Amino acid sequence: MADSSFDIVSKVERQEVDNALNQAAKEISQRYDFKGVGASISWSGDKILMEANSEDRVKAVLDVFQSKLIKRGISLKALDAGEPQLSGKEYKIFASIQEGISQENAKKVAKIIRDEGPKGVKAQVQGDELRVSSKSRDDLQAIIALLKGKDFDFALQFVNYR
């Protein structure tokens, strides 16, 4: 019998982020507390640009966007938002969406699997994802449960379970 395996990835559905951004923009344009403060949210190349005329308002725009991401099932660990910066009379926050598992994070996950997981489970880094394989499907289930119980500073998804 062949080994069973699954991949650990850190990917974000771009369309879902776009939908969350559009919903946040609509809410910001309609809410009374954002009237007359120049609040806006939009794509700026690959980054997301949030603007308002005060630091508190621009943080509120970020909060609205985060709530829309949560409703769309996107982990906030994938959102890398900077600090508010004063640019002329406007405050701006640039945020980016993190995708892929870095080499060092993949090595951390592989070490946890080796140290705390069942014996006979292999983890190998493949580009920006991690392939976990074992003879036993129960061991793979145990690895998924183990990793879901850990708190990483990046989002994890489990795909291609076979």
Side-chain angles (χ1 to χ4, degrees):
M1 183 172 147
D3 281 2
S4 298
S5 68
F6 68 89
D7 295 334
I8 301 173
V9 297
S10 181
K11 289 193 169 43
V12 174
E13 189 71 38
R14 172 84 175 187
Q15 186 61 50
E16 289 297 323
V17 175
D18 205 32
N19 290 343
L21 186 130
N22 290 336
Q23 286 179 339
K26 187 173 183 182
E27 181 174 324
I28 289 164
S29 71
Q30 293 175 344
R31 270 184 38 184
Y32 181 76
D33 57 333
F34 286 121
K35 294 278 188 243
V37 295
S40 68
I41 181 169
S42 61
W43 286 105
S44 174
D46 280 349
K47 294 189 181 288
I48 297 162
L49 170 64
M50 292 162 262
E51 298 178 299
N53 65 3
S54 73
E55 190 172 348
D56 291 340
R57 284 290 130 221
V58 78
K59 285 182 179 177
V61 170
L62 175 62
D63 191 46
V64 168
F65 181 55
Q66 287 175 336
S67 72
K68 298 302 178 191
L69 286 174
I70 290 169
K71 283 183 181 172
R72 292 225 155 258
I74 298 170
S75 172
L76 291 183
K77 293 176 183 176
L79 180 70
D80 182 25
E83 289 298 311
Q85 301 166 340
L86 183 59
S87 172
K89 292 183 177 178
E90 295 273 307
Y91 279 89
K92 296 181 179 186
I93 294 179
F94 284 99
S96 59
I97 302 296
Q98 302 294 325
E99 289 196 296
I101 301 174
S102 69
Q103 289 289 337
E104 61 195 47
N105 286 338
K107 287 178 183 174
K108 282 183 204 171
V109 173
K111 182 171 176 13
I112 288 172
I113 291 170
R114 264 195 322 276
D115 294 348
E116 300 178 30
K119 298 290 178 238
V121 176
K122 296 185 287 291
Q124 60 202 59
V125 178
Q126 297 179 329
D128 62 351
E129 54 187 51
L130 196 67
R131 163 95 19 109
V132 180
S133 57
S134 172
K135 296 239 181 276
S136 165
R137 285 179 164 240
D138 291 341
D139 288 350
L140 294 180
Q141 294 282 346
I143 293 295
I144 290 174
L146 170 75
L147 294 177
K148 281 186 176 176
K150 299 284 181 190
D151 186 30
F152 296 105
D153 55 352
F154 52 97
L156 289 181
Q157 292 88 31
F158 306 100
V159 296
N160 296 340
Y161 186 79
R162 52 175 103 88

Coordinates of all heavy atoms in Angstrom, one line a residue, residues 50 54-60 62 81-87 90-94:
M50 N -5.3 52.1 3.1 CA -6.4 52.7 3.9 C -6.1 54.1 4.3 O -4.9 54.4 4.8 CB -6.6 51.9 5.2 CG -7.2 50.5 4.9 SD -6.9 49.3 6.3 CE -5.5 48.5 5.7
S54 N -7.6 61.2 10.4 CA -7.0 61.1 11.7 C -6.6 59.7 12.0 O -7.0 58.8 11.3 CB -8.1 61.5 12.8 OG -9.0 60.5 12.9
E55 N -5.7 59.5 12.9 CA -5.1 58.2 13.2 C -6.2 57.2 13.7 O -6.2 56.1 13.3 CB -4.0 58.3 14.3 CG -3.2 57.1 14.4 CD -2.0 57.3 15.3 OE1 -1.6 58.5 15.6 OE2 -1.4 56.3 15.7
D56 N -7.1 57.7 14.6 CA -8.2 56.9 15.1 C -9.1 56.4 13.9 O -9.5 55.3 13.9 CB -9.0 57.6 16.1 CG -8.2 57.9 17.4 OD1 -7.2 57.2 17.6 OD2 -8.6 58.8 18.1
R57 N -9.4 57.3 13.0 CA -10.3 56.9 11.9 C -9.7 55.9 11.0 O -10.3 55.0 10.5 CB -10.7 58.2 11.1 CG -11.7 59.0 11.7 CD -13.0 58.4 11.8 NE -13.6 58.4 13.1 CZ -14.2 57.5 13.7 NH1 -14.5 56.4 13.2 NH2 -14.6 57.7 15.0
V58 N -8.4 56.0 10.7 CA -7.7 55.1 9.8 C -7.6 53.7 10.5 O -7.7 52.7 9.9 CB -6.3 55.6 9.3 CG1 -5.3 55.5 10.3 CG2 -5.9 54.9 8.0
K59 N -7.5 53.7 11.8 CA -7.5 52.4 12.6 C -8.9 51.8 12.6 O -9.0 50.6 12.5 CB -7.0 52.6 14.0 CG -5.5 52.9 14.1 CD -5.0 53.0 15.6 CE -3.5 53.2 15.7 NZ -3.1 53.4 17.0
A60 N -9.9 52.6 12.6 CA -11.3 52.1 12.5 C -11.5 51.5 11.1 O -12.2 50.5 11.0 CB -12.2 53.3 12.8
L62 N -9.2 50.0 9.3 CA -8.6 48.7 9.4 C -9.4 47.7 10.1 O -9.5 46.6 9.7 CB -7.2 48.9 10.1 CG -6.4 47.6 10.3 CD1 -6.1 46.9 9.0 CD2 -5.1 47.9 11.1
A81 N -0.5 44.4 8.4 CA -0.8 45.8 8.3 C 0.3 46.6 9.0 O 0.7 46.2 10.1 CB -2.2 46.1 9.0
G82 N 0.7 47.7 8.4 CA 1.7 48.5 8.9 C 1.1 49.5 10.0 O -0.1 49.4 10.3
E83 N 2.0 50.4 10.4 CA 1.5 51.4 11.4 C 1.0 52.6 10.6 O 1.4 52.8 9.5 CB 2.7 51.9 12.2 CG 3.2 50.8 13.2 CD 2.1 50.5 14.2 OE1 1.5 51.4 14.8 OE2 1.9 49.3 14.4
P84 N 0.0 53.4 11.2 CA -0.5 54.6 10.6 C 0.7 55.6 10.3 O 1.5 55.8 11.2 CB -1.5 55.1 11.6 CG -1.8 54.0 12.4 CD -0.6 53.1 12.5
Q85 N 0.7 56.1 9.1 CA 1.8 57.1 8.8 C 1.1 58.4 8.3 O 0.1 58.3 7.6 CB 2.6 56.6 7.6 CG 3.3 55.3 7.9 CD 3.9 54.6 6.7 OE1 3.5 54.9 5.6 NE2 4.8 53.7 6.9
L86 N 1.7 59.5 8.8 CA 1.1 60.8 8.4 C 1.7 61.2 7.0 O 2.9 61.2 6.8 CB 1.4 61.9 9.4 CG 0.9 63.2 9.2 CD1 -0.6 63.2 9.1 CD2 1.3 64.2 10.3
S87 N 0.8 61.5 6.1 CA 1.3 61.9 4.7 C 0.5 63.1 4.3 O -0.7 63.0 4.0 CB 1.0 60.7 3.7 OG 1.2 61.1 2.4
E90 N -3.3 63.5 5.6 CA -3.9 62.2 5.6 C -3.1 61.2 6.4 O -1.8 61.3 6.4 CB -4.1 61.7 4.2 CG -5.0 62.4 3.3 CD -6.5 62.0 3.5 OE1 -6.7 60.8 3.4 OE2 -7.3 62.9 3.8
Y91 N -3.7 60.4 7.2 CA -3.1 59.2 7.8 C -3.3 58.0 6.8 O -4.4 57.8 6.3 CB -3.6 58.9 9.2 CG -3.1 59.8 10.2 CD1 -3.6 61.0 10.5 CD2 -1.9 59.4 10.9 CE1 -3.1 61.9 11.5 CE2 -1.4 60.2 11.9 CZ -2.0 61.5 12.2 OH -1.4 62.3 13.2
K92 N -2.3 57.2 6.6 CA -2.4 56.1 5.7 C -1.9 54.8 6.4 O -0.9 54.9 7.2 CB -1.6 56.3 4.5 CG -2.0 57.4 3.6 CD -1.2 57.6 2.4 CE -1.8 58.7 1.5 NZ -1.1 58.8 0.3
I93 N -2.5 53.7 6.1 CA -2.0 52.4 6.5 C -1.9 51.5 5.3 O -2.8 51.4 4.5 CB -2.9 51.7 7.5 CG1 -3.0 52.4 8.9 CG2 -2.5 50.2 7.8 CD1 -3.9 51.8 9.9
F94 N -0.7 51.0 5.1 CA -0.5 50.0 4.0 C -0.5 48.6 4.6 O 0.1 48.4 5.6 CB 0.8 50.2 3.3 CG 0.8 51.4 2.4 CD1 1.4 52.6 2.8 CD2 0.3 51.4 1.1 CE1 1.4 53.7 2.0 CE2 0.3 52.5 0.3 CZ 0.8 53.7 0.7

